[in-house]
Amino acid sequence: MTDVEFFCETCHFFDIVGNHDDEIAYHKKLHRKYHDNYVNGVKATPLKSDKVISELDGFRVILVSPRSTLSQRKRAERIALRGKMGTDFDFASYHANDLKHEDYPLVFIGIINDRAISFLVLRKTTGTAKVTWQHYDKEATEPIPSLPDVRWGISMVWTLENKRRKGYVKQLIGMASKYVEQDISELAWFAPFTDFGHSLAKAISRNEVI
């Protein structure tokens, strides 16, 4: 019998399976779960171990740090993998075993109706530089003095496609900035950018970027 090819235009799920009813039914079930996470966000039902740092108008922000439970870190990893979809990055921005790095990653997850719809990873960084967007976009090569201090930087930021341009991601970054006691304008941005990240960084840091 001829194999059956699965491809979803929306979530880009692709698979080739044998033409057997039980195998087809199993892969349809896999696709439904994958599609649901892609369109509606990864399920994020409340846990007793949740560290909620903000909750306003149904938008809940929780923090995951290296000290969080394994279940918290595993969930953050699943959300990071969802955020990676649709990018050219080879690896997700966060892994559950990301514990002993000197950059001490902090993950902030934005949740609506028990679904993770936005995701932010902050990391400590050094050797940053402040440049104008004109300088950055033209990929200018002249040397720029490094800033001397250690600061928090945005390693990855993502919002579910159907929740963009609604203020959620700016609210998430604002909560994270407040938590680490560093002004939004002083947060560094890790390059390279996705198109979404580039436009977001320009909207938040209008004149200069670190």
Side-chain angles (χ1 to χ4, degrees):
M1 290 186 288
T2 306
D3 289 342
V4 177
E5 184 176 293
F6 281 96
F7 178 71
C8 177
E9 295 271 352
T10 301
C11 69
H12 312 296
F13 180 90
F14 176 78
D15 204 358
I16 298 175
V17 300
N19 195 0
H20 304 282
D21 289 345
D22 56 346
E23 194 169 348
I24 292 173
Y26 173 73
H27 283 269
K28 283 184 176 179
K29 183 179 179 180
L30 283 181
H31 171 241
R32 282 195 299 270
K33 181 178 180 180
Y34 185 93
H35 188 96
D36 179 50
N37 284 340
Y38 187 92
V39 174
N40 299 311
V42 175
K43 290 183 179 179
T45 52
L47 301 174
K48 288 184 178 180
S49 57
D50 283 349
K51 183 176 177 62
V52 181
I53 65 169
S54 174
E55 190 159 9
L56 181 65
D57 296 330
F59 183 60
R60 183 161 48 100
V61 177
I62 64 172
L63 170 69
V64 177
S65 77
R67 296 179 180 177
S68 296
T69 63
L70 180 61
S71 61
Q72 290 283 356
R73 291 183 277 114
K74 284 285 189 182
R75 182 171 64 178
E77 182 177 87
R78 291 195 298 273
I79 300 166
L81 286 170
R82 170 61 187 92
K84 175 187 172 295
M85 295 178 188
T87 74
D88 294 326
F89 299 144
D90 294 326
F91 305 100
S93 59
Y94 175 81
H95 301 278
N97 61 354
D98 212 354
L99 298 176
K100 297 181 180 180
H101 293 205
E102 292 180 358
D103 56 10
Y104 196 83
L106 295 179
V107 176
F108 299 84
I109 302 170
I111 300 169
I112 294 178
N113 296 327
D114 295 342
R115 294 282 185 156
I117 62 97
S118 57
F119 182 81
L120 170 67
V121 182
L122 293 188
R123 296 179 184 274
K124 288 183 177 179
T125 183
T126 58
T128 55
K130 183 174 287 188
V131 299
T132 65
W133 279 110
Q134 183 180 13
H135 186 282
Y136 177 86
D137 289 338
K138 288 185 176 180
E139 299 181 350
T141 57
E142 62 265 23
I144 303 169
S146 295
L147 298 175
D149 54 340
V150 177
R151 69 180 62 237
W152 289 100
I154 296 175
S155 171
M156 174 66 177
V157 61
W158 165 83
T159 299
L160 195 68
E161 287 77 2
N162 58 25
K163 298 296 184 183
R164 293 180 181 176
R165 301 186 182 280
K166 297 183 179 181
Y168 293 121
V169 70
K170 287 185 179 180
Q171 187 176 338
L172 184 69
I173 294 173
M175 288 296 103
S177 169
K178 183 178 180 180
Y179 183 83
V180 299
E181 299 180 338
Q182 186 173 306
D183 191 85
I184 288 179
S185 65
E186 293 300 314
L187 292 173
W189 291 79
F190 286 53
F193 291 107
T194 61
D195 290 342
F196 169 69
H198 186 260
S199 61
L200 177 64
K202 277 191 167 182
I204 291 176
S205 303
R206 295 186 179 275
N207 299 314
E208 295 179 310
V209 63
I210 299 174

